[in-house]
Amino acid sequence: MRLKPLYDFELRPREPFNFYLTASCYNFNWWFDGSKCVIPLSSSPPLVAVARQEDSELMVTVYGVKGGREDVAKMVEHALGVNEDLAEFYGVAGRDPLLYEVPRALSGMRLRTTNLWNAMLIAVCQQNSSFAQGWRMLCRVYKLMGKRVELDGLTTIIPPSPREFLVDSARGLLKEAGLGYRTETIVRVAEAVERGLLEGVEELSDEEAEKRLKEVKGIGAYTARLALVLSQRRYGLLPLDRWLEKIAREVYGLGDVEAGLRARWGRWCGLAVFFTTVVLDAEVLSKALKRALTGNVKPTLRRDKLSPLTLWMHEVC
DNA sequence: TGCCAGGCGGGGT
DNA sequence: ACCCCGCATGGC
């Protein structure tokens, strides 16, 4: 399917802003090519934005079938976090033995958000799997179930909507993608979305939102919190998994890791977790722990090494 | 080969 | 409240 350019606009991000790092992180090569970042906005009707940097401006072109000038600027602004103020977080991170490189090597990098449904898909793929395995699963889901679209010269993918997970062939495709027992969980999430269970979540408090997501069988505290961080920037939530549990216990000498991290990171927990995975290149626990304990907390950025920042350079699946 | 990896729920205590 | 185990898959 071919989408046509509908209109353009510009955004002026709050400084410091690093578009390259923001677009690079946890991204695939059909959404970022080193200069253009594709931001899927809607599956039906198909709508995507393409952002690129020009001096201190972001130039955004919107593609679709016909529009309908919804509040695309607001959506792109939120997706890239262009107006986010991280000054306070940089204060916290700057004196943290795990995160002190964030205001330095990663200055201006923001977390990109996606919609709640897609964030839950991402989070479910991280359950009980390594970084590499989780992102490979996700890569295959997008290739097998996403919608391929063409924009001018660019071929890209719009992530599948919950509806695609409720057709007969969906389970087979998800198994093919390697999701294993996560298949049933993500199908249940899709059903919950279709029933409207996840509508209005953004109006709820953090605790209520987490509780709502956990009503779906297979969604626990980690998955719910991660999805809310990745979609709604609810940085007060702490997605704590075995990986971070172990690292934080050793690096900070914590007994009660959850309470200890809350005390340390406060309302920035979610963003701190995100950046912890980035600075340690999301290495498997044994390697990440070694690096954390020796103060090797600067992301590698070598293109031959698969990491959150180089994912887009690789043919993952 | 067997074992493990950024969870989770169920069933035991 | 805890603890423990199995769960499906792929990589080493």
Side-chain angles (χ1 to χ4, degrees):
Chain A
M1 181 182 223
R2 180 176 300 278
L3 303 186
K4 57 182 186 187
L6 301 177
Y7 53 89
D8 307 87
F9 58 88
E10 298 172 11
L11 295 173
R12 178 174 286 272
R14 178 193 295 266
E15 298 294 338
F17 182 79
N18 188 319
F19 175 72
Y20 180 81
L21 290 176
T22 300
S24 293
C25 197
Y26 288 115
N27 218 343
F28 291 112
N29 57 16
W30 59 84
W31 287 327
F32 186 55
D33 65 2
S35 55
K36 288 180 182 162
C37 181
V38 176
I39 302 157
L41 298 171
S42 158
S43 175
S44 57
L47 190 68
V48 307
V50 179
R52 64 182 198 282
Q53 186 167 36
E54 214 161 274
D55 303 317
S56 57
E57 307 268 355
L58 287 180
M59 315 297 282
V60 183
T61 305
V62 180
Y63 292 82
V65 278
K66 64 172 197 287
R69 195 192 189 98
E70 302 121 73
D71 227 343
V72 169
K74 280 270 177 295
M75 294 164 80
V76 173
E77 201 181 298
H78 187 263
L80 296 176
V82 292
N83 289 320
E84 193 169 47
D85 183 357
L86 296 185
E88 184 188 303
F89 173 67
Y90 283 179
V92 173
R95 47 189 135 80
D96 192 299
L98 272 182
L99 297 175
Y100 65 86
E101 283 292 347
V102 173
R104 298 178 172 81
L106 301 179
S107 174
M109 174 178 158
R110 312 283 164 81
L111 177 156
R112 275 176 301 108
T113 60
T114 180
N115 63 59
L116 178 57
W117 150 253
N118 193 53
M120 292 189 77
L121 173 62
I122 295 169
V124 167
C125 288
Q126 309 307 310
Q127 291 179 354
N128 199 24
S129 57
S130 67
F131 156 79
Q133 185 176 1
W135 284 85
R136 204 159 33 233
M137 281 185 237
L138 197 59
C139 181
R140 288 193 285 244
V141 170
Y142 291 140
K143 283 192 175 172
L144 287 165
M145 303 175 73
K147 186 189 300 230
R148 258 162 233 274
V149 297
E150 308 228 350
L151 343 158
D152 294 335
L154 213 57
T155 302
T156 190
I157 298 176
I158 298 181
S161 67
R163 215 171 278 280
E164 330 283 349
F165 288 69
L166 299 177
V167 300
D168 290 336
S169 55
R171 280 187 175 77
L173 293 171
L174 289 165
K175 293 280 167 65
E176 192 182 336
L179 264 76
Y181 60 86
R182 301 167 194 84
T183 296
E184 289 309 312
T185 300
I186 200 60
V187 169
R188 278 192 292 263
V189 174
E191 284 163 357
V193 174
E194 288 300 289
R195 284 202 316 271
L197 183 78
L198 300 188
E199 267 164 44
V201 168
E202 54 281 357
E203 320 295 331
L204 304 175
S205 69
D206 287 352
E207 294 72 22
E208 287 296 315
E210 178 183 336
K211 206 169 126 198
R212 177 72 62 83
L213 268 51
K214 287 195 294 194
E215 285 176 31
V216 181
K217 186 178 166 186
I219 303 300
Y222 168 76
T223 310
R225 293 174 188 179
L226 180 59
L228 289 164
V229 169
L230 297 181
S231 61
Q232 299 177 2
R233 301 186 190 279
R234 292 189 186 246
Y235 298 152
L237 293 170
L238 175 65
L240 183 59
D241 50 33
R242 296 188 294 214
W243 186 86
L244 180 62
E245 224 272 337
K246 175 83 171 167
I247 290 171
R249 182 148 32 91
E250 303 260 333
V251 171
Y252 303 125
L254 294 172
D256 184 342
V257 171
E258 174 133 13
L261 287 182
R262 274 186 209 283
R264 168 176 291 270
W265 290 337
R267 67 188 190 98
W268 298 103
C269 281
L271 195 59
V273 171
F274 170 79
F275 276 115
T276 301
T277 70
V278 176
V279 298
L280 294 174
D281 293 317
E283 304 235 42
V284 292
L285 182 54
S286 56
K287 292 183 184 174
L289 185 59
K290 212 165 284 175
R291 282 185 51 176
L293 288 172
T294 54
N296 184 4
V297 290
K298 198 171 173 176
T300 319
L301 288 170
R302 277 180 38 203
R303 54 183 313 134
D304 57 328
K305 184 181 175 67
L306 184 68
S307 73
L309 289 172
T310 64
L311 183 60
W312 67 272
M313 301 174 183
H314 292 255
E315 209 55 61
V316 182
C317 67

mmCIF file of all heavy atoms in Angstrom, chain A residues 238-280:
data_model
loop_
_atom_site.group_PDB
_atom_site.id
_atom_site.type_symbol
_atom_site.label_atom_id
_atom_site.label_comp_id
_atom_site.label_asym_id
_atom_site.label_seq_id
_atom_site.Cartn_x
_atom_site.Cartn_y
_atom_site.Cartn_z
ATOM 1 N N LEU A 238 8.061 1.757 38.645
ATOM 2 C CA LEU A 238 9.347 1.051 38.608
ATOM 3 C C LEU A 238 9.174 -0.353 38.037
ATOM 4 O O LEU A 238 8.748 -1.258 38.745
ATOM 5 C CB LEU A 238 9.921 0.968 40.032
ATOM 6 C CG LEU A 238 11.205 0.172 40.227
ATOM 7 C CD1 LEU A 238 12.368 0.822 39.488
ATOM 8 C CD2 LEU A 238 11.535 0.042 41.706
ATOM 9 N N PRO A 239 9.470 -0.551 36.763
ATOM 10 C CA PRO A 239 9.394 -1.909 36.202
ATOM 11 C C PRO A 239 10.629 -2.703 36.634
ATOM 12 O O PRO A 239 11.699 -2.572 36.053
ATOM 13 C CB PRO A 239 9.407 -1.682 34.678
ATOM 14 C CG PRO A 239 9.362 -0.190 34.481
ATOM 15 C CD PRO A 239 9.874 0.420 35.748
ATOM 16 N N LEU A 240 10.437 -3.474 37.671
ATOM 17 C CA LEU A 240 11.572 -4.179 38.279
ATOM 18 C C LEU A 240 11.574 -5.647 37.863
ATOM 19 O O LEU A 240 10.628 -6.370 38.133
ATOM 20 C CB LEU A 240 11.467 -4.066 39.802
ATOM 21 C CG LEU A 240 12.596 -4.669 40.630
ATOM 22 C CD1 LEU A 240 13.934 -4.052 40.292
ATOM 23 C CD2 LEU A 240 12.305 -4.507 42.120
ATOM 24 N N ASP A 241 12.621 -6.061 37.197
ATOM 25 C CA ASP A 241 12.739 -7.458 36.781
ATOM 26 C C ASP A 241 13.954 -8.078 37.456
ATOM 27 O O ASP A 241 14.668 -7.412 38.198
ATOM 28 C CB ASP A 241 12.842 -7.553 35.259
ATOM 29 C CG ASP A 241 13.901 -6.611 34.714
ATOM 30 O OD1 ASP A 241 14.909 -6.389 35.398
ATOM 31 O OD2 ASP A 241 13.723 -6.076 33.611
ATOM 32 N N ARG A 242 14.175 -9.365 37.175
ATOM 33 C CA ARG A 242 15.278 -10.062 37.840
ATOM 34 C C ARG A 242 16.616 -9.419 37.511
ATOM 35 O O ARG A 242 17.528 -9.371 38.326
ATOM 36 C CB ARG A 242 15.304 -11.534 37.405
ATOM 37 C CG ARG A 242 14.086 -12.301 37.821
ATOM 38 C CD ARG A 242 14.242 -13.778 37.555
ATOM 39 N NE ARG A 242 14.310 -14.063 36.128
ATOM 40 C CZ ARG A 242 13.812 -15.176 35.569
ATOM 41 N NH1 ARG A 242 13.197 -16.072 36.327
ATOM 42 N NH2 ARG A 242 13.942 -15.380 34.292
ATOM 43 N N TRP A 243 16.737 -8.942 36.302
ATOM 44 C CA TRP A 243 17.967 -8.321 35.804
ATOM 45 C C TRP A 243 18.330 -7.097 36.640
ATOM 46 O O TRP A 243 19.411 -7.011 37.224
ATOM 47 C CB TRP A 243 17.740 -7.951 34.339
ATOM 48 C CG TRP A 243 18.900 -7.422 33.560
ATOM 49 C CD1 TRP A 243 19.845 -8.154 32.906
ATOM 50 C CD2 TRP A 243 19.206 -6.050 33.303
ATOM 51 N NE1 TRP A 243 20.723 -7.321 32.258
ATOM 52 C CE2 TRP A 243 20.357 -6.015 32.474
ATOM 53 C CE3 TRP A 243 18.623 -4.839 33.682
ATOM 54 C CZ2 TRP A 243 20.928 -4.825 32.030
ATOM 55 C CZ3 TRP A 243 19.197 -3.660 33.235
ATOM 56 C CH2 TRP A 243 20.342 -3.663 32.418
ATOM 57 N N LEU A 244 17.391 -6.166 36.734
ATOM 58 C CA LEU A 244 17.656 -4.949 37.494
ATOM 59 C C LEU A 244 17.717 -5.246 38.990
ATOM 60 O O LEU A 244 18.481 -4.627 39.716
ATOM 61 C CB LEU A 244 16.568 -3.910 37.204
ATOM 62 C CG LEU A 244 16.740 -2.580 37.946
ATOM 63 C CD1 LEU A 244 18.031 -1.892 37.540
ATOM 64 C CD2 LEU A 244 15.548 -1.656 37.699
ATOM 65 N N GLU A 245 16.926 -6.207 39.429
ATOM 66 C CA GLU A 245 16.913 -6.581 40.844
ATOM 67 C C GLU A 245 18.319 -6.935 41.305
ATOM 68 O O GLU A 245 18.832 -6.428 42.297
ATOM 69 C CB GLU A 245 15.971 -7.779 41.007
ATOM 70 C CG GLU A 245 15.036 -7.712 42.193
ATOM 71 C CD GLU A 245 15.656 -8.299 43.443
ATOM 72 O OE1 GLU A 245 16.576 -9.125 43.316
ATOM 73 O OE2 GLU A 245 15.241 -7.896 44.530
ATOM 74 N N LYS A 246 18.936 -7.809 40.542
ATOM 75 C CA LYS A 246 20.279 -8.283 40.879
ATOM 76 C C LYS A 246 21.304 -7.150 40.780
ATOM 77 O O LYS A 246 22.132 -6.948 41.680
ATOM 78 C CB LYS A 246 20.636 -9.427 39.915
ATOM 79 C CG LYS A 246 22.027 -9.963 40.047
ATOM 80 C CD LYS A 246 22.126 -10.979 41.149
ATOM 81 C CE LYS A 246 23.491 -11.663 41.102
ATOM 82 N NZ LYS A 246 23.748 -12.428 42.322
ATOM 83 N N ILE A 247 21.253 -6.407 39.692
ATOM 84 C CA ILE A 247 22.228 -5.334 39.475
ATOM 85 C C ILE A 247 22.126 -4.282 40.578
ATOM 86 O O ILE A 247 23.127 -3.881 41.171
ATOM 87 C CB ILE A 247 22.036 -4.699 38.088
ATOM 88 C CG1 ILE A 247 22.467 -5.693 37.000
ATOM 89 C CG2 ILE A 247 22.819 -3.404 37.952
ATOM 90 C CD1 ILE A 247 22.128 -5.273 35.591
ATOM 91 N N ALA A 248 20.886 -3.866 40.874
ATOM 92 C CA ALA A 248 20.699 -2.821 41.888
ATOM 93 C C ALA A 248 21.105 -3.322 43.273
ATOM 94 O O ALA A 248 21.691 -2.588 44.066
ATOM 95 C CB ALA A 248 19.247 -2.356 41.886
ATOM 96 N N ARG A 249 20.792 -4.574 43.545
ATOM 97 C CA ARG A 249 21.155 -5.134 44.846
ATOM 98 C C ARG A 249 22.675 -5.087 45.034
ATOM 99 O O ARG A 249 23.179 -4.699 46.083
ATOM 100 C CB ARG A 249 20.643 -6.578 44.951
ATOM 101 C CG ARG A 249 20.908 -7.247 46.276
ATOM 102 C CD ARG A 249 19.837 -8.259 46.666
ATOM 103 N NE ARG A 249 19.224 -8.933 45.531
ATOM 104 C CZ ARG A 249 19.682 -10.090 45.014
ATOM 105 N NH1 ARG A 249 20.735 -10.662 45.526
ATOM 106 N NH2 ARG A 249 19.065 -10.640 44.002
ATOM 107 N N GLU A 250 23.408 -5.437 44.000
ATOM 108 C CA GLU A 250 24.866 -5.490 44.097
ATOM 109 C C GLU A 250 25.499 -4.105 44.048
ATOM 110 O O GLU A 250 26.380 -3.794 44.835
ATOM 111 C CB GLU A 250 25.425 -6.343 42.961
ATOM 112 C CG GLU A 250 24.869 -7.759 42.917
ATOM 113 C CD GLU A 250 25.816 -8.788 43.523
ATOM 114 O OE1 GLU A 250 27.025 -8.540 43.505
ATOM 115 O OE2 GLU A 250 25.319 -9.822 43.999
ATOM 116 N N VAL A 251 25.049 -3.286 43.104
ATOM 117 C CA VAL A 251 25.696 -1.991 42.909
ATOM 118 C C VAL A 251 25.423 -1.038 44.072
ATOM 119 O O VAL A 251 26.321 -0.345 44.544
ATOM 120 C CB VAL A 251 25.244 -1.348 41.581
ATOM 121 C CG1 VAL A 251 25.727 0.091 41.466
ATOM 122 C CG2 VAL A 251 25.763 -2.167 40.401
ATOM 123 N N TYR A 252 24.168 -1.022 44.532
ATOM 124 C CA TYR A 252 23.823 -0.086 45.603
ATOM 125 C C TYR A 252 23.816 -0.742 46.977
ATOM 126 O O TYR A 252 23.563 -0.081 47.976
ATOM 127 C CB TYR A 252 22.437 0.528 45.339
ATOM 128 C CG TYR A 252 22.296 1.237 44.013
ATOM 129 C CD1 TYR A 252 21.287 0.890 43.128
ATOM 130 C CD2 TYR A 252 23.162 2.262 43.655
ATOM 131 C CE1 TYR A 252 21.139 1.541 41.912
ATOM 132 C CE2 TYR A 252 23.027 2.921 42.436
ATOM 133 C CZ TYR A 252 22.016 2.549 41.565
ATOM 134 O OH TYR A 252 21.868 3.193 40.371
ATOM 135 N N GLY A 253 24.043 -2.042 47.027
ATOM 136 C CA GLY A 253 24.015 -2.749 48.297
ATOM 137 C C GLY A 253 22.662 -2.700 48.971
ATOM 138 O O GLY A 253 22.557 -2.443 50.171
ATOM 139 N N LEU A 254 21.617 -2.939 48.197
ATOM 140 C CA LEU A 254 20.263 -2.832 48.732
ATOM 141 C C LEU A 254 19.735 -4.180 49.201
ATOM 142 O O LEU A 254 19.989 -5.205 48.578
ATOM 143 C CB LEU A 254 19.318 -2.270 47.661
ATOM 144 C CG LEU A 254 19.565 -0.836 47.203
ATOM 145 C CD1 LEU A 254 18.681 -0.511 46.017
ATOM 146 C CD2 LEU A 254 19.319 0.134 48.343
ATOM 147 N N GLY A 255 18.992 -4.161 50.288
ATOM 148 C CA GLY A 255 18.269 -5.353 50.709
ATOM 149 C C GLY A 255 16.925 -5.370 50.018
ATOM 150 O O GLY A 255 16.640 -6.246 49.214
ATOM 151 N N ASP A 256 16.114 -4.359 50.315
ATOM 152 C CA ASP A 256 14.827 -4.198 49.649
ATOM 153 C C ASP A 256 15.040 -3.310 48.417
ATOM 154 O O ASP A 256 15.071 -2.087 48.511
ATOM 155 C CB ASP A 256 13.817 -3.559 50.619
ATOM 156 C CG ASP A 256 12.424 -3.454 50.012
ATOM 157 O OD1 ASP A 256 12.304 -3.543 48.769
ATOM 158 O OD2 ASP A 256 11.464 -3.278 50.792
ATOM 159 N N VAL A 257 15.222 -3.971 47.284
ATOM 160 C CA VAL A 257 15.595 -3.239 46.069
ATOM 161 C C VAL A 257 14.501 -2.279 45.641
ATOM 162 O O VAL A 257 14.762 -1.126 45.283
ATOM 163 C CB VAL A 257 15.925 -4.222 44.932
ATOM 164 C CG1 VAL A 257 16.103 -3.484 43.617
ATOM 165 C CG2 VAL A 257 17.184 -5.005 45.265
ATOM 166 N N GLU A 258 13.256 -2.738 45.682
ATOM 167 C CA GLU A 258 12.151 -1.890 45.236
ATOM 168 C C GLU A 258 12.091 -0.593 46.042
ATOM 169 O O GLU A 258 12.048 0.503 45.477
ATOM 170 C CB GLU A 258 10.829 -2.671 45.338
ATOM 171 C CG GLU A 258 9.623 -1.816 45.023
ATOM 172 C CD GLU A 258 8.640 -2.478 44.073
ATOM 173 O OE1 GLU A 258 8.751 -3.693 43.838
ATOM 174 O OE2 GLU A 258 7.762 -1.754 43.580
ATOM 175 N N ALA A 259 12.130 -0.722 47.369
ATOM 176 C CA ALA A 259 12.074 0.475 48.217
ATOM 177 C C ALA A 259 13.322 1.324 48.022
ATOM 178 O O ALA A 259 13.242 2.565 47.964
ATOM 179 C CB ALA A 259 11.926 0.053 49.680
ATOM 180 N N GLY A 260 14.453 0.671 47.899
ATOM 181 C CA GLY A 260 15.711 1.393 47.739
ATOM 182 C C GLY A 260 15.758 2.204 46.452
ATOM 183 O O GLY A 260 16.201 3.360 46.445
ATOM 184 N N LEU A 261 15.293 1.601 45.376
ATOM 185 C CA LEU A 261 15.303 2.319 44.092
ATOM 186 C C LEU A 261 14.288 3.445 44.082
ATOM 187 O O LEU A 261 14.534 4.514 43.520
ATOM 188 C CB LEU A 261 15.046 1.351 42.930
ATOM 189 C CG LEU A 261 16.205 0.416 42.586
ATOM 190 C CD1 LEU A 261 15.857 -0.453 41.388
ATOM 191 C CD2 LEU A 261 17.490 1.188 42.323
ATOM 192 N N ARG A 262 13.146 3.203 44.716
ATOM 193 C CA ARG A 262 12.149 4.283 44.820
ATOM 194 C C ARG A 262 12.734 5.475 45.564
ATOM 195 O O ARG A 262 12.536 6.624 45.174
ATOM 196 C CB ARG A 262 10.909 3.796 45.555
ATOM 197 C CG ARG A 262 9.909 3.115 44.668
ATOM 198 C CD ARG A 262 8.667 2.807 45.499
ATOM 199 N NE ARG A 262 7.988 1.626 45.001
ATOM 200 C CZ ARG A 262 7.223 1.628 43.919
ATOM 201 N NH1 ARG A 262 7.043 2.741 43.243
ATOM 202 N NH2 ARG A 262 6.642 0.521 43.514
ATOM 203 N N ALA A 263 13.448 5.188 46.630
ATOM 204 C CA ALA A 263 14.043 6.269 47.418
ATOM 205 C C ALA A 263 15.101 7.004 46.596
ATOM 206 O O ALA A 263 15.222 8.220 46.660
ATOM 207 C CB ALA A 263 14.657 5.698 48.698
ATOM 208 N N ARG A 264 15.839 6.262 45.806
ATOM 209 C CA ARG A 264 16.935 6.842 45.039
ATOM 210 C C ARG A 264 16.458 7.614 43.810
ATOM 211 O O ARG A 264 16.921 8.714 43.525
ATOM 212 C CB ARG A 264 17.874 5.711 44.605
ATOM 213 C CG ARG A 264 18.923 6.083 43.568
ATOM 214 C CD ARG A 264 19.840 4.915 43.306
ATOM 215 N NE ARG A 264 20.683 4.650 44.459
ATOM 216 C CZ ARG A 264 21.881 5.217 44.630
ATOM 217 N NH1 ARG A 264 22.370 6.034 43.728
ATOM 218 N NH2 ARG A 264 22.578 4.929 45.704
ATOM 219 N N TRP A 265 15.527 7.026 43.095
ATOM 220 C CA TRP A 265 15.127 7.590 41.789
ATOM 221 C C TRP A 265 13.804 8.346 41.835
ATOM 222 O O TRP A 265 13.482 9.098 40.906
ATOM 223 C CB TRP A 265 15.059 6.475 40.731
ATOM 224 C CG TRP A 265 16.402 5.938 40.346
ATOM 225 C CD1 TRP A 265 17.610 6.577 40.466
ATOM 226 C CD2 TRP A 265 16.689 4.644 39.766
ATOM 227 N NE1 TRP A 265 18.626 5.775 39.995
ATOM 228 C CE2 TRP A 265 18.089 4.585 39.547
ATOM 229 C CE3 TRP A 265 15.909 3.545 39.399
ATOM 230 C CZ2 TRP A 265 18.713 3.470 38.989
ATOM 231 C CZ3 TRP A 265 16.531 2.433 38.829
ATOM 232 C CH2 TRP A 265 17.923 2.405 38.638
ATOM 233 N N GLY A 266 12.999 8.095 42.880
ATOM 234 C CA GLY A 266 11.758 8.850 43.070
ATOM 235 C C GLY A 266 10.849 8.864 41.864
ATOM 236 O O GLY A 266 10.512 7.823 41.315
ATOM 237 N N ARG A 267 10.472 10.068 41.436
ATOM 238 C CA ARG A 267 9.518 10.146 40.329
ATOM 239 C C ARG A 267 10.156 9.894 38.969
ATOM 240 O O ARG A 267 9.498 10.005 37.930
ATOM 241 C CB ARG A 267 8.801 11.502 40.346
ATOM 242 C CG ARG A 267 9.656 12.706 40.046
ATOM 243 C CD ARG A 267 8.821 13.967 40.317
ATOM 244 N NE ARG A 267 9.456 15.187 39.840
ATOM 245 C CZ ARG A 267 9.162 15.770 38.668
ATOM 246 N NH1 ARG A 267 8.275 15.236 37.863
ATOM 247 N NH2 ARG A 267 9.761 16.893 38.312
ATOM 248 N N TRP A 268 11.442 9.504 38.974
ATOM 249 C CA TRP A 268 12.148 9.230 37.719
ATOM 250 C C TRP A 268 12.464 7.748 37.529
ATOM 251 O O TRP A 268 13.265 7.377 36.651
ATOM 252 C CB TRP A 268 13.425 10.067 37.644
ATOM 253 C CG TRP A 268 13.142 11.519 37.653
ATOM 254 C CD1 TRP A 268 13.278 12.381 38.708
ATOM 255 C CD2 TRP A 268 12.629 12.294 36.556
ATOM 256 N NE1 TRP A 268 12.894 13.652 38.335
ATOM 257 C CE2 TRP A 268 12.484 13.617 37.021
ATOM 258 C CE3 TRP A 268 12.275 11.998 35.241
ATOM 259 C CZ2 TRP A 268 11.997 14.644 36.203
ATOM 260 C CZ3 TRP A 268 11.799 13.013 34.433
ATOM 261 C CH2 TRP A 268 11.665 14.322 34.921
ATOM 262 N N CYS A 269 11.875 6.901 38.361
ATOM 263 C CA CYS A 269 12.178 5.464 38.318
ATOM 264 C C CYS A 269 12.102 4.872 36.916
ATOM 265 O O CYS A 269 13.022 4.183 36.458
ATOM 266 C CB CYS A 269 11.201 4.692 39.202
ATOM 267 S SG CYS A 269 11.601 4.760 40.950
ATOM 268 N N GLY A 270 11.015 5.116 36.225
ATOM 269 C CA GLY A 270 10.786 4.488 34.925
ATOM 270 C C GLY A 270 11.834 4.890 33.907
ATOM 271 O O GLY A 270 12.328 4.069 33.129
ATOM 272 N N LEU A 271 12.187 6.170 33.925
ATOM 273 C CA LEU A 271 13.194 6.660 32.977
ATOM 274 C C LEU A 271 14.581 6.144 33.370
ATOM 275 O O LEU A 271 15.397 5.800 32.513
ATOM 276 C CB LEU A 271 13.185 8.189 32.949
ATOM 277 C CG LEU A 271 13.907 8.849 31.786
ATOM 278 C CD1 LEU A 271 13.315 8.409 30.446
ATOM 279 C CD2 LEU A 271 13.864 10.372 31.916
ATOM 280 N N ALA A 272 14.800 6.041 34.666
ATOM 281 C CA ALA A 272 16.083 5.524 35.150
ATOM 282 C C ALA A 272 16.274 4.066 34.725
ATOM 283 O O ALA A 272 17.359 3.661 34.307
ATOM 284 C CB ALA A 272 16.156 5.652 36.674
ATOM 285 N N VAL A 273 15.207 3.280 34.802
ATOM 286 C CA VAL A 273 15.276 1.885 34.367
ATOM 287 C C VAL A 273 15.601 1.820 32.874
ATOM 288 O O VAL A 273 16.487 1.077 32.437
ATOM 289 C CB VAL A 273 13.949 1.145 34.637
ATOM 290 C CG1 VAL A 273 13.948 -0.233 33.993
ATOM 291 C CG2 VAL A 273 13.703 1.040 36.136
ATOM 292 N N PHE A 274 14.901 2.624 32.094
ATOM 293 C CA PHE A 274 15.135 2.686 30.653
ATOM 294 C C PHE A 274 16.610 2.984 30.351
ATOM 295 O O PHE A 274 17.270 2.270 29.593
ATOM 296 C CB PHE A 274 14.220 3.760 30.053
ATOM 297 C CG PHE A 274 14.487 4.115 28.620
ATOM 298 C CD1 PHE A 274 14.043 3.306 27.587
ATOM 299 C CD2 PHE A 274 15.171 5.282 28.306
ATOM 300 C CE1 PHE A 274 14.281 3.646 26.256
ATOM 301 C CE2 PHE A 274 15.416 5.637 26.975
ATOM 302 C CZ PHE A 274 14.964 4.803 25.955
ATOM 303 N N PHE A 275 17.144 4.012 31.006
ATOM 304 C CA PHE A 275 18.531 4.394 30.726
ATOM 305 C C PHE A 275 19.529 3.385 31.288
ATOM 306 O O PHE A 275 20.630 3.240 30.754
ATOM 307 C CB PHE A 275 18.815 5.806 31.239
ATOM 308 C CG PHE A 275 18.400 6.888 30.275
ATOM 309 C CD1 PHE A 275 17.393 7.786 30.599
ATOM 310 C CD2 PHE A 275 19.009 6.998 29.028
ATOM 311 C CE1 PHE A 275 17.008 8.777 29.700
ATOM 312 C CE2 PHE A 275 18.630 7.983 28.121
ATOM 313 C CZ PHE A 275 17.626 8.877 28.457
ATOM 314 N N THR A 276 19.145 2.686 32.355
ATOM 315 C CA THR A 276 20.042 1.645 32.863
ATOM 316 C C THR A 276 20.266 0.573 31.803
ATOM 317 O O THR A 276 21.392 0.129 31.570
ATOM 318 C CB THR A 276 19.465 1.000 34.138
ATOM 319 O OG1 THR A 276 19.294 2.013 35.135
ATOM 320 C CG2 THR A 276 20.392 -0.076 34.681
ATOM 321 N N THR A 277 19.192 0.185 31.120
ATOM 322 C CA THR A 277 19.359 -0.824 30.068
ATOM 323 C C THR A 277 20.215 -0.267 28.930
ATOM 324 O O THR A 277 20.996 -1.004 28.332
ATOM 325 C CB THR A 277 17.998 -1.288 29.493
ATOM 326 O OG1 THR A 277 17.398 -0.238 28.725
ATOM 327 C CG2 THR A 277 17.055 -1.732 30.581
ATOM 328 N N VAL A 278 20.095 1.025 28.667
ATOM 329 C CA VAL A 278 20.848 1.610 27.547
ATOM 330 C C VAL A 278 22.344 1.686 27.872
ATOM 331 O O VAL A 278 23.180 1.278 27.063
ATOM 332 C CB VAL A 278 20.309 3.000 27.177
ATOM 333 C CG1 VAL A 278 21.157 3.638 26.074
ATOM 334 C CG2 VAL A 278 18.851 2.904 26.720
ATOM 335 N N VAL A 279 22.664 2.191 29.055
ATOM 336 C CA VAL A 279 24.093 2.381 29.368
ATOM 337 C C VAL A 279 24.823 1.037 29.506
ATOM 338 O O VAL A 279 26.026 0.963 29.277
ATOM 339 C CB VAL A 279 24.321 3.243 30.639
ATOM 340 C CG1 VAL A 279 23.749 4.634 30.441
ATOM 341 C CG2 VAL A 279 23.769 2.588 31.897
ATOM 342 N N LEU A 280 24.079 -0.011 29.855
ATOM 343 C CA LEU A 280 24.710 -1.342 29.956
ATOM 344 C C LEU A 280 24.500 -2.161 28.677
ATOM 345 O O LEU A 280 24.757 -3.364 28.657
ATOM 346 C CB LEU A 280 24.151 -2.097 31.175
ATOM 347 C CG LEU A 280 24.506 -1.477 32.532
ATOM 348 C CD1 LEU A 280 23.791 -2.209 33.668
ATOM 349 C CD2 LEU A 280 26.020 -1.489 32.767
#
